[in-house]
Amino acid sequence: MADMSPLFRRKGPAPQDRLVTLIGKPGCHLCDDAQAVIEKVCGDLGVPWEKRDITEEPDLHDQYWEQIPVVLVDGQQHTFWRVNEERLRKELTGN
């Protein structure tokens, strides 16, 4: 794909048009670790992010309680348990 003309490459949304969602719960050390990575990557790229608590949202609890922390990008599950900075950055920039 590196040889492909820029005219034919697919362009995804700009990073600032994306939304990262961290689904976790209070007292979860993995959630704290995930938040640190998300804050760094989203801060660097200007990507908005939000934090949602499974203890306050029964639907999220039912869907994700065994996987927290869960990271969504534009509403689609990106990862769970551990967040890889490079992978998240690549997902958000398309690089």
Side-chain angles (χ1 to χ4, degrees):
M1 195 144 128
D3 310 273
M4 190 177 287
S5 165
L7 294 173
F8 296 105
R9 288 189 196 137
R10 286 190 184 183
K11 296 279 186 190
Q16 63 271 20
D17 296 331
R18 312 297 300 267
L19 176 63
V20 174
T21 304
L22 171 61
I23 300 171
K25 69 177 186 175
C28 166
H29 74 280
L30 289 177
C31 299
D32 295 339
D33 293 347
Q35 182 171 334
V37 173
I38 290 168
E39 286 176 343
K40 181 178 187 325
V41 172
C42 289
D44 289 350
L45 300 175
V47 175
W49 72 278
E50 65 182 357
K51 185 175 177 180
R52 297 182 58 191
D53 183 345
I54 66 166
T55 66
E56 296 178 0
E57 298 185 51
D59 291 343
L60 291 179
H61 181 274
D62 292 346
Q63 187 171 1
Y64 296 116
W65 73 274
E66 290 182 324
Q67 296 180 332
I68 63 163
V70 174
V71 177
L72 308 178
V73 174
D74 299 331
Q76 299 296 313
Q77 188 167 338
H78 170 72
T79 195
F80 62 97
W81 294 338
R82 301 233 182 248
V83 182
N84 178 285
E85 180 180 341
E86 184 178 324
R87 183 170 177 255
L88 180 58
R89 191 176 299 275
K90 184 180 256 189
E91 173 72 22
L92 294 171
T93 61
N95 295 325

